Amino acid sequence: MDEVIDWYDAVAAGAERTVVPSAADEYALGRRAAHGYGTDPAALGDTGSWTQLNQRDLDDVERPVPPDGFRFRTADEAGPRAAVQAHVDAWAPSTYTAEGYEGVRRTPPYRGDLHVLVEAPDGTMAASTIMWLDAANRTAQFEPVGTHPDHRRRGLGRAMLLHGMRLARAAGADHMTVACPGAPGHPGARGLYHGVGFREFTRDAPLIKSGGETG
């Protein structure tokens, strides 16, 4: 850790330096403090850019109830074009492409049966999420989670997450995680995840060191 910090201080000498370790990593925080890094108050403001990690177990997952006319699909069922379009619609403007999705599909833990989409009555893929299963540790993570702008605030995200957790449990997971913006000014995703049983596990701890300080 000290070698990494010294390298960063050397290559960024004279510049303001920021790092974002986990608040749970006491060793990293201690070594950063010893090298002159302190809390970054700007990053911790209402609209700061830092991440909160949430977790829950999968012992008792509520049965999902999608709105009338909507149905759950998987990427295996709907196909690559639908999976890509669901992502692009949810995250517009987005540079995501079919080629990018092929890279995702080649990532070792990816499973098309754990890539969930919600299809609207008109055939639009209204929401989507991927669950990344760590079979060895019996845990899975939602990443990303998104809903088409025309279909937000209708309960699709909640239903999709509950459905996904039940699929993850059937695939062997007994624990689930999901990350979201943690600053007070970004309550939307945090409220969604807390509404389906997730609670904060750890968070980023943004640190800063001025350009005039050396190791």
Side-chain angles (χ1 to χ4, degrees):
M1 175 62 71
D2 289 275
E3 291 177 4
V4 171
I5 297 171
D6 287 340
W7 171 85
Y8 184 30
D9 284 344
V11 299
E16 183 176 84
R17 282 147 278 173
T18 60
V19 292
V20 191
S22 168
D25 192 345
E26 295 182 3
Y27 178 76
L29 294 176
R31 296 319 303 152
R32 290 288 181 186
H35 285 260
Y37 286 81
T39 299
D40 183 355
L44 292 176
D46 280 355
T47 58
S49 179
W50 56 275
T51 298
Q52 173 179 308
L53 182 64
N54 308 281
Q55 67 173 356
R56 62 155 290 173
D57 64 49
L58 299 179
D59 290 344
D60 183 20
V61 180
E62 179 184 340
R63 184 174 295 278
V65 181
D68 288 346
F70 289 80
R71 63 171 178 158
F72 300 119
R73 304 288 301 280
T74 68
D76 281 349
E77 296 167 343
R81 180 177 297 181
V84 171
Q85 193 61 50
H87 183 102
V88 170
D89 288 342
W91 298 101
S94 172
T95 59
Y96 199 57
T97 63
E99 291 75 18
Y101 178 49
E102 283 304 310
V104 171
R105 294 176 71 187
R106 290 193 296 268
T107 303
Y110 176 82
R111 286 175 45 170
D113 62 330
L114 295 180
H115 184 169
V116 175
L117 302 96
V118 182
E119 184 177 2
D122 65 0
T124 300
M125 294 301 163
S128 68
T129 186
I130 300 176
M131 289 166 289
W132 300 92
L133 176 66
D134 177 353
N137 291 297
R138 300 181 62 85
T139 189
Q141 181 177 29
F142 285 116
E143 170 58 32
V145 178
T147 302
H148 191 298
D150 293 345
H151 295 285
R152 291 174 184 165
R153 307 197 67 79
R154 305 179 67 176
L156 294 180
R158 174 184 174 83
M160 179 174 66
L161 292 171
L162 292 171
H163 178 67
M165 285 188 280
R166 292 169 73 94
L167 290 181
R169 184 176 63 189
D174 54 26
H175 178 261
M176 202 87 194
T177 64
V178 65
C180 66
H186 304 295
R190 186 170 57 251
L192 170 63
Y193 300 136
H194 284 196
V196 293
F198 285 94
R199 292 295 180 265
E200 180 184 334
F201 170 60
T202 187
R203 59 173 62 192
D204 290 341
L207 303 177
I208 191 168
K209 184 176 180 179
S210 72
E213 296 182 62
T214 64

